[in-house]
Amino acid sequence: MFPAGFKAMVALEQALAQAIDPELLELVKLRASQINGCAFCIYMHTSDLRKRGVDEMKLYLLNAWRDSYLFSERERAALAWTEALTRVADDGAPDDAYNALAEQFSEEERVQLTFAIGAINVWNRLQVGFHVAHPPRGAAMRDAA
């Protein structure tokens, strides 16, 4: 256990929840979790988006967002940045992804979004690294939060 680390991550999540549009934040978290193959986080963020009333088709098409008209330009920029930073070891942070982000988000929003992407990647690595399975269907996910 590392209570201080967990507490710091929860505090970061609370700050991000205050700073970023909730639906956009959940889409970013879900997309990073798809890339990282984190079943626990995919389950949680899909459930959270459904609770928010997001169109099911948008959830189904998230991994093909480039080819779907369901995503706004702002969401596209955030998703491209999410993919770039989640796969940073492959291609770095490409200028085209950053430029698209800069067109849609202020400097402060870019920093907030980058923190959010970093945070979900930490959570994914914890869940995947420790082989944490998603809960049974319908189980409560946010008891500690």
Side-chain angles (χ1 to χ4, degrees):
M1 294 287 288
F2 182 41
F6 184 78
K7 184 178 178 181
M9 287 296 295
V10 169
L12 176 57
E13 289 293 340
Q14 290 170 339
L16 292 169
Q18 300 281 329
I20 300 173
D21 171 70
E23 183 176 325
L24 179 65
L25 182 59
E26 290 299 323
L27 285 171
V28 162
K29 290 177 178 184
L30 179 55
R31 184 65 192 120
S33 299
Q34 288 173 334
I35 293 167
N36 290 322
C38 182
F40 182 90
C41 294
I42 291 169
Y43 183 98
M44 179 171 56
H45 299 300
T46 301
S47 298
D48 288 350
L49 283 161
R50 282 189 175 119
K51 287 177 194 169
R52 294 194 163 284
V54 173
D55 181 359
E56 284 287 309
M57 196 53 63
K58 196 169 192 176
L59 299 179
Y60 301 146
L61 290 170
L62 182 58
N63 65 348
W65 62 267
R66 285 181 176 84
D67 298 320
S68 173
Y69 61 84
L70 296 177
F71 298 89
S72 69
E73 288 304 311
R74 190 168 166 88
E75 290 169 333
R76 290 172 181 283
L79 293 169
W81 192 236
T82 300
E83 290 182 1
L85 294 187
T86 300
R87 296 178 171 137
V88 72
D90 296 338
D91 297 316
D95 289 342
D96 60 334
Y98 183 81
N99 293 337
L101 186 74
E103 287 178 21
Q104 297 293 322
F105 294 87
S106 70
E107 183 177 5
E108 182 178 10
E109 290 172 321
R110 293 190 303 266
V111 171
Q112 293 164 345
L113 190 61
T114 301
F115 264 100
I117 295 164
I120 189 57
N121 275 281
V122 169
W123 290 120
N124 289 165
R125 279 146 181 78
L126 287 167
Q127 303 309 321
V128 171
F130 291 110
H131 302 282
V132 178
H134 65 81
R137 190 174 189 136
M141 292 288 295
R142 302 239 180 220
D143 294 337

